[in-house]
Amino acid sequence: MKHIRNFCIIAHIDHGKSTLADRLLQHTKTISDRDMQAQVLDDMDLERERGITIKSKAIQMEYIYEGQKYILNLIDTPGHVDFSYEVSRSIAACEGALLIVDAAQGIQAQTISNLYLAIEHDLEIIPVLNKMDLPGAMPEEVKDQIVDLIGCKREEIIPASGKTGQGIEDILSAIINRVPAPSGDPEAPLQALIFDSVFNSYRGIIAYFRIMNGSIRKGDKVKFMATGKEYIADEIGTLKLSLAPKNEILTGDVGYIVSGIKEAKEVKVGDTITHLERPCAEAIQGFENVKPMVFAGIYPVDTEDFEELRASLEKLQLNDASLTFEPESSAALGFGFRCGFLGMLHMEIIQERLEREFNMNVITTVPNVSYWAYTTKGDKFMMRTPSDMPDHNNLDFIEEPYIKAQIITKPEYIGPILNLCMEKRGIIKSQNYLTTDRVEMMFEMPLAEIVFDFYDKLKTISRGYASFDYHVIEFRQSDLVKMDILLNGEQVDALSSLIHRSKAHDFGKRLCEKLKELLPRQQFQIAIQAAIGAKIVARETISALRKDVTAKCYGGDISRKRKLLEKQKEGKKRMRQIGSVEVPQSAFLAVLKLD
């Protein structure tokens, strides 16, 4: 056990974690040069295309240091704020963390929040200054930032480059010398933490675990404590580039278990595995349930695919424990699911994965956050969709979630960022200079305002320099109204939204104009209206496609033309009563891209 080291890599998005992990795998000969490719641990097409890590990956390396063989278990984590849940799970299974900072960009918001996660779990932090080979690297300035942040000594910071392989030896020796070996009692009853799971269509569900106490052998009868289910360990082993079966896994090590589990609900990430005969006294503590922030409806384009969509979402949930969903139905779209996501990027990724990995054609409705509604009778309930909003007469007030946002940027962008945050109903709380050219700004603002396009706008006005991180603090009372979109007097529930009263008029007008561009013209006139309760706040009209019915009249009395036009007018009127307006998928997404 004293020759095992468990560590993860944490960093802001795009600071070179995956490339550095590639070099570590190459240097320890875990992967042959023939199998080597860039971002070797990112095995999803989506991760490679976008150059981001979405899933945490665990892999075991063997390294000989000063004549002694050590086993190093590395967990590579994502850097984007939407996937911080993945990071928290990885940290729970480790004793140390490599904190990677880009020498050209310095410390950014996600670096700080991931670091706090690691400190909460008492991990040993090893600071690494990456991308030293870049011409724009500022090693001395960034070292000052790291010393201020962690309070380490300057000489403890390891200069490295994932591209050239500089500093890899130093990182490996620092892991062995500075990260503590796992503590645990090999003689105690088995106690293992599940930190991830994947679905394999041939073998069922494979759970990844880290043993805290005791050991597990092939063929043991085990029990999952949260679900109370019992299984036989058909196969256990360690995680190399592919699965490597073993007969026994001991305390402190990381491994996988295959036991023919078919149901997604039976494996909960954060659950404890123990022996059936000799169970441990209690489950492992300190594992929180995921709190989704953004909710959107996902509906199959073909209503027959509803059950298939359910199966796809369940398999996806195994691979991504932060996805939550429940069935719902809509008048416009039929049956579907209300899904909870950690943010907009997370939502986009899930939609892409459904289309790619499961060939599902889906429609996604306008994302929103959840609110607390208080009725005049004193009841309180959660509103997930605008249609949950109680009648105006019964409603007392609504509370919406507020976040604390941390933005780190260069001083020249303070003005535009302040304007953007004020527009989004933000209140500035503090502003302090981390160094001469890095400012940290703290805001409090409603979560609903950052859900749509805040992150994109922030990146645009700061030319990509500002970094952003947030966490929810509390619910506060707010003056929100429900805005409905009516087509020919019929409400389209998938386009309804909850919005602050001060912005309702402007938002309604822009939405109606956008829908006028996107809805196809019909044989009859279509009225697009935005309404708050019974009050119409904006209207646009799509004129009818007309056929020239008077073409066959030449000369003669005007009454003949009048008769034909009146007949056409009657037909249009009748058509408008029975004709329904098809809303294309692009119109549902239009709301997101209003600007």
Side-chain angles (χ1 to χ4, degrees), residues 190 215-222 231-234 275:
L190 171 67
S215 62
I216 183 170
R217 292 185 73 84
K218 186 177 173 175
D220 281 354
K221 288 185 175 168
V222 293
Y231 305 102
I232 292 174
D234 296 335
H275 276 129

Side-chain angles (χ1 to χ4, degrees), residues 464-481:
Y465 274 109
S467 62
F468 170 69
D469 186 42
Y470 67 90
H471 59 268
V472 177
I473 42 176
E474 60 183 351
F475 279 78
R476 295 184 190 169
Q477 192 171 334
S478 201
D479 185 15
L480 297 171
V481 290

Side-chain angles (χ1 to χ4, degrees), residues 4-6 95-96 122-124 175-183:
I4 296 177
R5 300 286 182 274
N6 296 320
E95 277 86 26
D122 289 338
L123 298 198
E124 175 65 38
I175 290 166
I176 289 166
N177 293 323
R178 284 156 62 179
V179 174
S183 59

Side-chain angles (χ1 to χ4, degrees), residues 97 108 168 174 196 238 253 344 379 439 490 520 541 544 553 581 593:
Q108 292 185 289
I168 297 296
D196 206 353
T238 51
D253 214 344
M344 289 295 279
D379 297 335
V439 188
E490 277 188 31
T541 309
C553 291
V581 184
K593 305 188 174 71

Side-chain angles (χ1 to χ4, degrees), residues 41 56-60 74-76 195-196 208 239-240 254:
L41 290 178
S56 299
K57 301 287 183 315
I59 192 162
Q60 188 176 82
L74 152 72
I75 302 178
D76 179 25
F195 64 86
D196 206 353
Y208 296 165
L239 303 155
K240 289 290 188 357
V254 171

